[in-house]
Amino acid sequence: MKKVLSGIQPSGQLTLGNYIGALQNFVRLQETHECYFMVVDLHAITVPQEPAALREQSQSIAALYLAAGIDPQHAAIYMQSHVRAHAELGWLLTTLTSMGELERMTQFKDKSAGKESVGAGLFVYPSLMAADILVYNADLVPVGDDQKQHLELTRDLAGRFNSRYGDYFTIPEPYIPEIGARIMSLDDVSKKMSKSNPNPGSFIALLDEPDVIRKKISRATTDSGREVRFDRESKPEVSNLMGIYSLMSGLSLPEVEARFEGQGYGPFKKELAERIVDVLEPLQQRYREIRSSGMLEEVLKQGAEKASVVADRVVAGVKERMGFLKS
């Protein structure tokens, strides 16, 4: 089977956008691919983190992986920092990465803008991201538009290593799902729904209480007029909400339009909120059961052991080709 690698940072609460754009696809991919799904805690510390918050968010995301339906018998679920090969290969690839390549990374530019001092980790972490992928010789990487640049760097580094030391790394390809890859903010449709947005009203968190979800949807920005019609150019706000409704209900966009013809935004937003609640309440119940069961530590341990077998072997091959003595 082809290998798939992906991960989510333990910073902020996972959102409905993460569920639709990432977790649901992870669940589908585990049936047909060899999957490695990690919590990228080493990436999170490229900006300052409160230790207690980092621990809690790391556990929360791992539990949400399970609650969403990722099966540890089919996919490795683990903490990035528990597989030491990530950091080791990250350093080796950093030595193959030019300053110019890192300076062109738009995420570095965005996160460092207006700051007097920026940590070196934020600058070089694209090399670690490349290592995350190449340490398993992954074939496919689920990516959003904001990560395409990092995947291109990964492909360049793999090709550079292969050219210098002989063919070894698989050149990974992006996996971009046909639907659900980009859910936009509830308050500004020009921005992706993001767990890092300082305005909690801009996103639905997966662990939001039902009444909180209803309130956020009722306050979601809509276009002028009252017609529930899908048109990303002239009605981008309601089109975003319709996309969420479609994915939550299984109805096509024309079916959503027909369902709310002549009813206006009020009834549409009210029913949209209930659709979201219906999907998230069972997930939240499973999440609470997982957190209280004590199973998470063993799942992460087994996932790290499974991932390390593959990753250690790949790093050993890299070091041999680069000329390191065997330990």
Side-chain angles (χ1 to χ4, degrees):
M1 291 191 292
K2 288 189 173 182
K3 295 176 184 174
V4 173
L5 179 285
S6 195
I8 297 177
Q9 278 199 38
S11 54
Q13 304 175 74
L14 290 196
T15 72
L16 188 65
N18 296 125
Y19 179 70
I20 292 170
L23 296 183
Q24 285 189 321
N25 288 308
F26 293 177
V27 172
R28 297 186 190 101
L29 286 166
Q30 71 179 343
E31 301 299 330
T32 54
H33 295 74
E34 180 182 336
C35 293
Y36 298 86
F37 298 131
M38 59 183 174
V39 180
V40 288
D41 49 352
L42 293 177
H43 289 186
I45 62 169
T46 56
V47 296
Q49 299 288 338
E50 175 61 38
L54 179 62
R55 278 189 288 269
E56 168 58 28
Q57 275 302 113
S58 296
Q59 292 176 328
S60 178
I61 290 177
L64 283 168
Y65 279 175
L66 294 169
I70 299 175
D71 184 348
Q73 300 303 314
H74 288 108
I77 301 172
Y78 60 99
M79 302 302 302
Q80 180 189 26
S81 63
H82 292 179
V83 180
R84 296 180 180 181
H86 284 266
E88 186 172 7
L89 184 58
W91 170 249
L92 297 176
L93 292 182
T94 297
T95 67
L96 297 178
T97 311
S98 73
M99 295 277 287
E101 286 172 316
L102 296 172
E103 287 169 346
R104 288 193 292 273
M105 292 290 130
T106 55
Q107 284 206 349
F108 172 74
K109 293 177 182 178
D110 292 343
K111 291 183 178 181
S112 62
K115 296 181 180 178
E116 293 183 7
S117 177
V118 178
L122 185 63
F123 184 65
V124 301
Y125 98 95
S127 298
L128 175 59
M129 184 178 289
D132 296 335
I133 298 165
L134 297 179
V135 80
Y136 303 105
N137 263 323
D139 299 281
L140 296 174
V141 183
V143 292
D145 291 340
D146 56 342
Q147 295 295 340
K148 286 181 180 178
Q149 193 181 30
H150 287 151
L151 182 59
E152 283 304 313
L153 176 64
T154 302
R155 290 167 55 86
D156 290 344
L157 291 176
R160 190 171 304 158
F161 183 94
N162 291 348
S163 177
R164 189 174 300 182
Y165 299 108
D167 284 348
Y168 186 66
F169 284 127
T170 299
I171 307 298
E173 297 289 340
Y175 170 80
I176 303 174
E178 294 181 7
I179 57 172
R182 196 167 178 83
I183 301 299
M184 311 310 288
S185 170
L186 297 179
D187 65 340
D188 183 354
V189 79
S190 69
K191 298 177 181 178
K192 186 177 178 180
M193 184 179 286
S194 170
K195 56 188 172 63
S196 61
N197 193 315
N199 175 19
S202 70
F203 59 83
I204 301 294
L206 293 186
L207 299 178
D208 276 345
E209 295 291 334
D211 284 347
V212 173
I213 293 171
R214 294 180 181 107
K215 183 177 291 186
K216 287 183 178 181
I217 292 297
S218 71
R219 295 177 176 177
T221 304
T222 47
D223 312 282
S224 59
R226 60 188 302 273
E227 185 182 9
V228 179
R229 176 170 53 84
F230 190 84
D231 184 338
R232 289 204 181 275
E233 294 298 320
S234 62
K235 297 176 77 69
E237 305 284 1
V238 76
S239 295
N240 184 46
L241 297 179
M242 288 178 68
I244 296 172
Y245 189 103
S246 174
L247 292 162
M248 292 291 97
S249 66
L251 297 178
S252 67
L253 291 169
E255 288 172 331
V256 176
E257 285 186 3
R259 183 178 183 86
F260 294 99
E261 185 176 2
Q263 295 188 47
Y265 294 156
F268 166 64
K269 292 170 80 173
K270 185 175 181 180
E271 189 168 326
L272 170 60
E274 297 310 315
R275 292 283 186 177
I276 296 171
V277 168
D278 288 346
V279 170
L280 293 190
E281 275 194 318
L283 180 145
Q284 292 171 357
Q285 178 60 33
R286 290 195 297 272
Y287 171 85
R288 289 189 288 268
E289 292 169 356
I290 291 163
R291 291 299 301 267
S292 63
S293 70
M295 67 181 289
L296 200 55
E297 183 177 352
E298 185 60 26
V299 167
L300 293 174
K301 180 174 180 289
Q302 290 179 358
E305 289 173 351
K306 178 181 178 180
S308 293
V309 169
V310 177
D312 289 345
R313 185 170 61 244
V314 169
V315 169
V318 168
K319 292 170 73 175
E320 179 182 1
R321 283 161 174 77
M322 292 182 75
F324 289 93
L325 295 179
K326 290 184 178 181
S327 58

